[in-house]
Amino acid sequence: MRFSNRTLRNQPNSISIASENRTVALLNLSDSNPTHNSLQPKSAQESYDADPRGSLTARSQLAEFIAANQNRSVDTNNLHLLSSTSQGYSWLIKLLCDPGDAVLAPRPGYPLISDLAALECAEVLDYTMHWDGSWWIDTAQLETLAAENQERLKALIAINPNNPTGSYLAKDERTKIISICQKYHLALIADEVFFEYELNGCGQRLAGEDSVLTFALDGLSKNLGAPGAKLAWLQTSGPKEQVDEALERLDVIADSYLPMSQLITAQLPNLLAEIPSQQKRIGQRTRRNLQTLKEIVEFSRTGTISILSPEGGWSVLLRFPSFIDEENLVLELIEKHQITVQPGYFFDLLIDGFVSLSLLLEPKVFRHAANTLVMAIDEIVEANS
């Protein structure tokens, strides 16, 4: 595994070594931390001691939550706390890619990956997902891409379950992806923020995979259903020597951007405690709305609309005849019905004729809007028959 030249490993200088080897506490005449000098505000009484991975207390609380709710153990030393999974992507591309290097990412998939990579002067190479009654990854194409670009390819991104398709990695896909990472010396970046939201399927996490260097992204935003709860985490796993070096280099990045605020991590226990009930509440809503959509589509007048049934997450893709222009359909919904929806091309779907619907809306609101959407599509189909 080769890391980027952006994150050179820090070597302690002679002053640091001398300070650490002292058995008697030193008076630091250069200490500019107000909380070490009795000047902390009333709203933040705790002394602040920076840890690039985030507060050890908070990481321990998170590890205990994962053990209790996901039935897997996590070493607190292998966790980094950060403000968002987007920040996690940015850090990982810094860690792995020099300018001009590339990562593999699924298409369709999370649109921000390309933007985040571009900001780090890296490129995204798309590997394809296909639909034939269920979503599947073209692993042959994926390996060809890896083989043809191995000089500059540094990581493979897997979104599990994918957004917007809602598909978990199948067992054979998971095995093949890990095999490709091993063969071509790629790091595996696993985005699993929607993992707990099962709709009609289940999967196996990549988090904690130890056969290849793996970085798993997750966070409060999706787990808690609270976009304003900007606290995410990055778990590093894999062969020990690679993990140790990755963690050390990630510390350089994290320290440069300053660690997660203790004012935020202090709230973590209460936020974690809310997750199980929130996930249950969101799951009930998404499953109810998905069933509503199925009923509405079943009674479509033209019979030309279908649902690409998601296995997880909280979105669903609706398919209609490809002669209907996605953008024109959305503009018509806006102008005539005061409704908007995301067209499939926002997610780089390979063919036309899709919109992505959120399953989070209030049930009555969702039923009305979905009915309106289906009727609008039916009218266009009938007008062109």
Side-chain angles (χ1 to χ4, degrees):
M1 179 62 57
R2 183 183 70 79
F3 298 95
S4 77
N5 293 318
R6 307 173 193 235
T7 54
L8 299 177
R9 303 172 82 171
N10 285 340
Q11 298 298 324
N13 58 40
S14 58
I15 294 175
S16 297
I17 294 171
S19 299
E20 290 174 1
N21 290 339
R22 294 285 295 182
T23 56
V24 178
L26 296 174
L27 172 62
N28 183 358
L29 191 56
S30 297
D31 189 345
S32 58
N33 184 333
T35 70
H36 291 173
N37 296 284
S38 305
L39 289 170
Q40 57 264 52
K42 293 180 181 179
S43 57
Q45 284 291 309
E46 188 176 352
S47 176
Y48 178 70
D49 294 290
D51 185 327
R53 300 181 194 183
S55 158
L56 176 59
T57 299
R59 285 185 283 124
S60 299
Q61 292 163 346
L62 177 59
E64 290 172 6
F65 172 84
I66 291 172
N69 292 271
Q70 299 178 9
N71 196 31
R72 61 189 184 91
S73 60
V74 179
D75 186 338
T76 56
N77 288 325
N78 289 18
L79 291 171
H80 278 82
L81 302 182
L82 27 80
S83 64
S84 67
T85 53
S86 292
Q87 185 184 54
Y89 275 117
S90 178
W91 285 9
L92 291 173
I93 295 171
K94 284 182 174 71
L95 172 72
L96 300 165
C97 296
D98 286 315
D101 286 341
V103 298
L104 288 162
R107 177 182 183 186
Y110 184 44
L112 275 181
I113 292 175
S114 293
D115 293 341
L116 293 166
L119 288 170
E120 304 301 335
C121 300
E123 184 183 351
V124 171
L125 304 179
D126 297 325
Y127 64 89
T128 307
M129 299 183 67
H130 298 280
W131 170 265
D132 60 4
S134 63
W135 286 99
W136 56 278
I137 295 171
D138 188 342
T139 54
Q141 179 225 16
L142 176 55
E143 177 146 20
T144 299
L145 278 171
E148 291 177 348
N149 296 277
Q150 55 186 303
E151 289 300 318
R152 66 191 187 103
L153 199 58
K154 305 305 175 189
L156 190 159
I157 296 171
I159 305 175
N160 184 37
N162 182 275
N163 181 29
T165 68
S167 53
Y168 289 98
L169 285 177
K171 185 177 180 180
D172 61 333
E173 292 172 340
R174 187 184 191 280
T175 300
K176 185 63 175 177
I177 282 173
I178 291 171
S179 171
I180 289 171
C181 287
Q182 291 173 322
K183 183 176 180 179
Y184 296 100
H185 307 290
L186 305 177
L188 176 58
I189 299 174
D191 183 335
E192 299 189 313
V193 296
F194 285 110
F195 192 88
E196 297 298 322
Y197 294 103
E198 295 180 5
L199 288 166
N200 186 33
C202 61
Q204 181 182 356
R205 281 187 180 272
L206 288 164
E209 175 61 40
D210 60 9
S211 64
V212 64
L213 183 61
T214 302
F215 302 99
L217 293 165
D218 211 337
L220 287 180
S221 176
K222 301 300 187 297
N223 278 278
L224 190 60
K230 292 302 182 187
L231 196 158
W233 51 91
L234 169 62
Q235 179 188 349
T236 305
S237 62
K240 185 179 187 306
E241 185 176 339
Q242 294 180 21
V243 168
D244 289 346
E245 183 171 356
L247 290 172
E248 186 176 338
R249 288 173 178 268
L250 278 169
D251 285 349
V252 174
I253 296 172
D255 217 18
S256 298
Y257 284 91
L258 303 181
M260 171 64 66
S261 165
Q262 287 183 191
L263 291 175
I264 295 174
T265 56
Q267 302 176 53
L268 188 58
N270 292 334
L271 296 171
L272 292 174
E274 277 194 83
I275 286 178
S277 61
Q278 270 292 89
Q279 288 180 340
K280 181 179 179 181
R281 182 181 173 207
I282 291 171
Q284 289 172 340
R285 172 73 59 80
T286 55
R287 286 188 290 271
R288 177 177 176 180
N289 282 340
L290 182 58
Q291 181 58 37
T292 296
L293 184 62
K294 289 177 179 178
E295 294 167 2
I296 291 170
V297 168
E298 184 179 350
F299 289 100
S300 161
R301 297 195 305 270
T302 63
T304 60
I305 304 169
S306 59
I307 298 169
L308 276 60
S309 295
E311 296 174 330
W314 58 44
S315 299
V316 59
L317 288 170
L318 195 69
R319 187 174 187 178
F320 46 85
S322 59
F323 70 78
I324 299 176
D325 183 272
E326 293 174 353
E327 187 168 289
N328 288 341
L329 172 63
V330 176
L331 291 174
E332 180 176 319
L333 289 168
I334 291 171
E335 293 168 4
K336 292 185 178 180
H337 304 286
Q338 295 74 54
I339 292 172
T340 189
V341 68
Q342 291 181 326
Y345 74 80
F346 277 16
F347 302 93
D348 292 327
L349 276 104
L350 296 175
I351 55 177
D352 298 327
F354 291 91
V355 287
S356 175
L357 283 63
S358 168
L359 296 170
L360 296 178
L361 278 65
E362 291 281 355
K364 288 183 179 179
V365 174
F366 181 84
R367 179 179 289 276
H368 167 73
N371 256 319
T372 302
L373 171 61
V374 168
M375 286 190 294
I377 294 170
D378 278 341
E379 288 173 2
I380 296 172
V381 172
E382 289 167 344
N384 286 271
S385 296

